Amino acid sequence: MEVLGERTQNFRQLLNRQLRLNDHSITGHVIHVDRFGNLITNITHDSIDTIAHGRTFTVHFGRETVGRIFPNYTQVDDGDCCCIYNSQGQLCIGINKGHAAELLGLGFDSHVDVRFYPGS
């Protein structure tokens, strides 16, 4: 075993976090923080479309709330927080020209909610 690396006593348990969906919300988690500090979640574009049925929604994480999904991070002012879908269709949280993980105090396994509202 020593050929593979140093012996450790610090183990990290990986949890299999599944989405929780109901008629009015989706609950997910941050599953990765990229090198730019963007927070990638396990919430997908498809899961939001499936529950939304044309309704408005807000994304809640930490103390922040975002009311729409933008095409890219540069669509908001420098330092503003926003959500986008990445090329794999995952909901991502970022800050234009900022490190979201550090500035928001969020990281792997942080809680993210999408809440849906009646009407259009």
Side-chain angles (χ1 to χ4, degrees), residues 15-56:
L15 303 173
N16 183 11
R17 294 288 190 188
Q18 299 295 317
L19 288 180
R20 288 187 307 210
L21 298 98
N22 66 48
D23 290 339
H24 305 292
S25 68
I26 298 173
T27 299
H29 295 87
V30 174
I31 58 170
H32 178 67
V33 178
D34 71 13
R35 64 188 177 113
F36 302 107
N38 300 316
L39 305 160
I40 293 84
T41 74
N42 61 344
I43 300 171
T44 64
H45 190 289
D46 288 344
S47 64
I48 290 176
D49 282 351
T50 298
I51 303 296
H53 300 292
R55 296 181 291 174
T56 59

Side-chain angles (χ1 to χ4, degrees), residues 73-82 94-99 103:
Y73 296 119
T74 62
Q75 298 294 304
V76 298
D77 292 335
D78 291 358
D80 281 354
C81 189
C82 70
I95 295 178
N96 187 15
K97 296 188 180 174
H99 194 285
L103 294 170

